[in-house]
Amino acid sequence: MRRSDDAGTEEDAMTEPGPLLRLEKIDKNFGPVHALTNVDLDVPAGQVTVLAGDNGAGKSVLIKCIAGIHRPDAGRIIWEGRPVDLRSPRDAAALGIETVYQDLALCDNLDIVQNMFLGRERVRHGILDEEQMEIAARDTLRSLAVTTVQSVRQPVASLSGGQRQSVAIAKSVLWNSKLVIMDEPTAALGVAQTEVVLELIRRLADRGLAVIVISHNMNDVFRVADRIAVLTLGRMVAVRPVAELDRKIVVELMTSGRSDRLAEAGGRS
C-alpha cells in the first residue's frame, strides 16, 4: 500500500505543470554595458506578474528578450517546458507571445478593425474579408468587456487614451495569445481610464493568460499583481507573491536591491 502511495506521489510530481515561461540565467550585454545579469524568472499562466524596477534596471531589455527583439547572450528561455530560440518578434508571436508597448503602435488614420488586423488581414477569394474581420474584432472586444467603444469602425484618432489601450490589448489577444506583455499600460491615463485598463488586465489573467506588466505606479502594481518581480541594475533581486510585500519593501528593493524588512520576514533579498 505504501508503495502505491509513493508511486502516486512521484507521478503527481512528474505531472505537475510548470510555468508557461521560464527564464534561466539570462545575460544581455550592449558592449561594456551589462543590461541583464544571471536573471531567473518564472511566469505562470493565469497570473499577473508585475516587473518593477527603477529607470535603467533592465525591465525593457528583459521583455524585449522575451518578445524576440533582443537575443540573450547567455541563458535559456523555456516555453511550455521546452527551450526556445526567439530570433524575431514573429517567432515569439508564433508561440503566443504578444507585446503591447508604451507607444501602442496603433495607426491613427485607420479604424479599430484595420488596426487589430494590421499585417494579418483575412483574405477571401483574393479580397479582404471585411465582414469576418469586423465580427472577430467586435467579438474580441465584447469578450473582454470593452464597452466604451461605440463602433469598431471608429478611427483610432477619435479614441481616448484608455480606449486606445483597450484596443491595443484586445489586438494582442485576438491571435490566441498565451502571454501578453504590457509596458507601462496606465502611463498618462486619467483615474477612470486607468481603472478600465487595470480591470482589463485582471480579466486577461482570469481567462487563463499569463500577463507581464511593467509599471512604476505602486498603486497600480498592488491593485493588479499576483506576483512582483524586482530588477535592480540588471539583476533579479526578488520574486514574491504580492501578499508577502508592501510598497515600502518594493521601493527598497528597487533602489538598493535589498530590504531588511523582507529579510526579517523570512524572505531573501
Side-chain angles (χ1 to χ4, degrees), residues 8-177:
T9 301
E10 291 174 4
E11 183 177 346
D12 291 343
M14 291 176 62
T15 59
E16 182 179 350
L20 178 69
L21 171 71
R22 170 167 286 166
L23 307 180
E24 293 184 347
K25 312 301 181 188
I26 298 295
D27 287 359
K28 182 60 183 177
N29 304 318
F30 297 96
V33 177
H34 300 288
L36 298 172
T37 304
N38 209 33
V39 170
D40 292 332
L41 179 65
D42 285 355
V43 180
Q47 294 188 31
V48 177
T49 301
V50 170
L51 192 58
D54 206 350
N55 291 334
K59 306 183 301 298
S60 294
V61 175
L62 185 60
I63 66 168
K64 287 178 179 178
C65 287
I66 300 170
I69 295 175
H70 296 323
R71 294 185 70 189
D73 297 314
R76 298 198 304 169
I77 298 176
I78 299 174
W79 179 260
E80 296 184 322
R82 298 181 178 181
V84 294
D85 182 13
L86 302 179
R87 296 173 177 267
S88 69
R90 187 179 296 273
D91 289 345
L95 294 177
I97 301 172
E98 296 286 342
T99 304
V100 181
Y101 294 102
Q102 196 167 350
D103 61 8
L104 300 183
L106 297 177
C107 297
D108 285 348
N109 61 318
L110 301 180
D111 64 29
I112 292 173
V113 176
Q114 292 167 328
N115 267 281
M116 290 180 67
F117 283 90
L118 188 61
R120 302 176 180 180
E121 291 83 359
R122 292 182 180 176
V123 177
R124 185 179 182 186
H125 304 309
I127 61 174
L128 292 177
D129 194 340
E130 297 282 0
E131 181 180 359
Q132 286 303 312
M133 288 190 291
E134 185 171 324
I135 291 170
R138 188 183 300 113
D139 288 348
T140 301
L141 290 167
R142 186 182 297 118
S143 72
L144 294 172
V146 177
T147 59
T148 60
V149 174
Q150 294 179 355
S151 168
V152 292
R153 287 302 180 181
Q154 280 182 258
V156 163
S158 71
L159 302 179
S160 68
Q163 289 172 327
R164 290 169 64 94
Q165 188 66 252
S166 297
V167 168
I169 294 171
K171 177 181 179 180
S172 73
V173 304
L174 180 63
W175 307 104
N176 297 317
S177 57

Side-chain angles (χ1 to χ4, degrees), residues 120-263:
R120 302 176 180 180
E121 291 83 359
R122 292 182 180 176
V123 177
R124 185 179 182 186
H125 304 309
I127 61 174
L128 292 177
D129 194 340
E130 297 282 0
E131 181 180 359
Q132 286 303 312
M133 288 190 291
E134 185 171 324
I135 291 170
R138 188 183 300 113
D139 288 348
T140 301
L141 290 167
R142 186 182 297 118
S143 72
L144 294 172
V146 177
T147 59
T148 60
V149 174
Q150 294 179 355
S151 168
V152 292
R153 287 302 180 181
Q154 280 182 258
V156 163
S158 71
L159 302 179
S160 68
Q163 289 172 327
R164 290 169 64 94
Q165 188 66 252
S166 297
V167 168
I169 294 171
K171 177 181 179 180
S172 73
V173 304
L174 180 63
W175 307 104
N176 297 317
S177 57
K178 298 179 181 180
L179 167 63
V180 177
I181 305 170
M182 296 179 226
D183 185 3
E184 298 285 358
T186 60
L189 297 184
V191 174
Q193 294 176 343
T194 294
E195 187 70 20
V196 169
V197 172
L198 293 180
E199 289 179 0
L200 184 51
I201 292 171
R202 283 301 333 165
R203 206 169 290 127
L204 295 181
D206 292 342
R207 288 178 54 168
L209 277 70
V211 184
I212 298 175
V213 177
I214 290 179
S215 181
H216 285 92
N217 188 312
M218 286 297 106
N219 290 329
D220 292 354
V221 167
F222 280 88
R223 279 284 312 281
V224 78
D226 295 296
R227 305 159 68 251
I228 300 177
V230 183
L231 277 169
T232 303
L233 298 177
R235 295 181 180 273
M236 189 67 72
V237 295
V239 183
R240 294 287 184 276
V242 68
E244 297 180 8
L245 303 168
D246 60 33
R247 288 164 177 77
K248 184 175 180 180
I249 290 175
V250 173
V251 170
E252 288 174 349
L253 290 168
M254 288 171 57
T255 54
S256 68
R258 65 186 306 275
S259 171
D260 291 337
R261 294 176 64 238
L262 183 60

